[in-house]
Amino acid sequence: MNFTFTEDQLAFRGAISRFLMTEAAPEMLREIWETDAGRSPDLRGKIAEQGLTALSVPEACGGLGMDDMAWALMTQELGYYAIPDSLGDTAYLAAGLLSGLPASGQSDHWLAQIAAGSIRVAVGHPVNPWVADAHMADLLLLAHDDEVHALRPDQVELQANRSIDVSRRLYDVKWTPSAETRIAGTGVGAVLWAQTLNRGALSVAGQLVGLAQRMLDLSVDYVSQRKQFGKPIGSFQAVKHQLADVAARIEFAKPVLYRAAHALARDEADVDVRISHARLTCCEASWMAARHGIQVHGAMGYTWEVDLQMFMKRAWALDNAWGDRALHKTRVDQHLLGAPLLPGSTFEE
């Protein structure tokens, strides 16, 4: 069997990378951070022009109807370039949630707006204490007792919370559930929120792989130029070993990420454990990349002037997004401990 990506999928990823390389250079990101909103309408407009907001929207609503495998590639690029935008929340999580609702003119209207890039949607899942980018949202999808509620900005009260990653905008959302705001009851809602948790965790895992790769690339570039005793420090064996360990960890994380996306796209029975496995593995890769990146930079990588800190702090911030390590370890443990330890169930005859 061939488990590699198709030429079209790789071309899709290459096009995204070239686009973001031009539109999201580190100096441009710093300029966006300094604005009050911390977001760039111009960047979001260009993202919509590329059709990226339409990826997961059904074709019937003007989208491309692509599955989770596309986002396994897309989120790596969003992480690699540390994009300060809620694209994933709107175009992936919200689009997936709205697509799972019973057919209605209202949900189709929202999906069409997402595809066109004319609406931002914030998603508030119970697993997250704060809602990302709620201040820019035209629509908020929030949970209450497994129900799904859709609210306008004027129906909520926001309180900002600071993050170690200055590019993230997190808010505590106060609101009152009502029959008017409810768009899905507990039965459908519980399924949709479970799917959204898995998509959110997959999105984070993909970003962490991209962040790890960017931190590795920055570290390799630094040790190739920084000299000590008349030689680049990258020529020293101790430095080589540290960066080689990061490269190996990233390569081991990628297939786990792709397997989880495959399980999610096909709604496999063990999708929860696949997602949690990917989330944990990708997190370890990003943490190792950050730790060794600081080490080879001589600790200056943490300072504001060095680009490494931008990606390192994003990785730290995402560590607790869409389920912390305890939650995902619990899901893996429950799967392993609940599996029958018999030859007939662990090995194929």
Side-chain angles (χ1 to χ4, degrees):
M1 297 179 67
N2 186 357
F3 293 100
T4 58
F5 288 102
T6 66
E7 291 185 6
D8 288 344
Q9 289 172 319
L10 295 177
F12 163 74
R13 178 176 184 173
I16 294 172
S17 181
R18 290 190 295 274
F19 165 70
L20 295 178
M21 185 186 303
T22 302
E23 301 297 336
E27 56 271 17
M28 297 176 68
L29 298 182
R30 291 173 186 267
E31 291 178 5
I32 294 173
W33 293 354
E34 293 177 358
T35 64
D36 291 338
R39 299 292 177 263
S40 169
D42 182 58
L43 176 60
R44 171 51 78 94
K46 291 178 179 179
I47 288 174
E49 289 176 2
Q50 296 294 316
L52 301 184
T53 56
L55 289 185
S56 289
V57 175
E59 294 182 13
C61 297
L64 301 177
M66 300 179 73
D67 64 11
D68 303 281
M69 292 301 298
W71 284 97
L73 296 174
M74 175 75 169
T75 52
Q76 288 183 60
E77 299 305 317
L78 295 179
Y80 189 86
Y81 294 100
I83 301 303
D85 192 89
S86 57
L87 172 64
D89 287 1
T90 296
Y92 184 35
L93 307 185
L97 194 157
L98 292 172
S99 298
L101 291 171
S104 71
Q106 183 62 73
S107 60
D108 287 350
H109 175 66
W110 287 328
L111 286 167
Q113 288 184 306
I114 290 175
S118 60
I119 187 175
R120 291 176 182 261
V121 186
V123 180
H125 193 283
V127 78
N128 293 321
W130 300 293
V131 180
D133 280 18
H135 66 308
M136 297 286 289
D138 302 294
L139 175 70
L140 295 95
L141 299 178
L142 305 174
H144 174 72
D145 292 337
D146 285 336
E147 297 174 342
V148 181
H149 291 256
L151 294 98
R152 302 184 306 272
D154 61 351
Q155 294 176 301
V156 301
E157 180 181 340
L158 305 179
Q159 180 177 352
N161 289 267
R162 297 185 63 183
S163 170
I164 189 174
D165 173 13
V166 296
S167 71
R168 283 171 61 78
R169 296 295 192 270
L170 304 175
Y171 290 84
D172 183 23
V173 180
K174 304 295 184 183
W175 61 288
T176 302
S178 67
E180 175 192 354
T181 61
R182 184 173 59 246
I183 59 175
T186 55
V188 174
V191 174
L192 291 177
W193 286 123
Q195 293 173 345
T196 302
L197 171 59
N198 283 336
R199 290 194 180 103
L202 181 74
S203 175
V204 167
Q207 291 179 68
L208 290 172
V209 169
L211 288 163
Q213 186 64 57
R214 185 62 177 270
M215 288 186 282
L216 175 61
D217 290 349
L218 289 171
S219 298
V220 169
D221 182 65
Y222 178 79
V223 301
S224 298
Q225 299 181 48
R226 174 76 164 86
K227 292 185 178 181
Q228 198 170 55
F229 307 114
K231 296 181 180 180
I233 63 174
S235 65
F236 301 146
Q237 193 174 44
V239 174
K240 290 181 179 180
H241 284 177
Q242 291 196 61
L243 298 184
D245 287 344
V246 175
R249 190 63 66 92
I250 292 172
E251 291 307 310
F252 276 110
K254 287 180 180 178
V256 181
L257 171 67
Y258 301 149
R259 182 63 182 89
H262 183 275
L264 186 56
R266 286 154 182 77
D267 195 23
E268 296 179 1
D270 61 351
V271 61
D272 289 353
V273 70
R274 296 287 185 185
I275 292 293
S276 290
H277 182 199
R279 176 70 168 72
L280 293 167
T281 303
C282 296
C283 182
E284 289 297 331
S286 69
W287 271 69
M288 176 180 281
R291 186 168 61 251
H292 289 350
I294 291 178
Q295 185 71 27
V296 301
H297 275 77
M300 67 177 291
Y302 186 80
T303 60
W304 183 260
E305 291 76 12
V306 179
D307 288 343
L308 179 70
Q309 58 88 18
M310 300 168 62
F311 306 94
M312 178 180 62
K313 292 174 182 176
R314 172 70 64 85
W316 289 348
L318 289 179
D319 184 51
N320 288 319
W322 293 99
D324 57 16
R325 296 192 192 197
L327 184 151
H328 291 290
K329 285 182 177 180
T330 298
R331 297 212 303 182
V332 173
D333 289 346
Q334 289 175 343
H335 176 80
L336 294 175
L337 297 177
L341 301 178
L342 300 172
S345 59
T346 55
F347 301 98
E348 293 185 0
E349 297 181 357

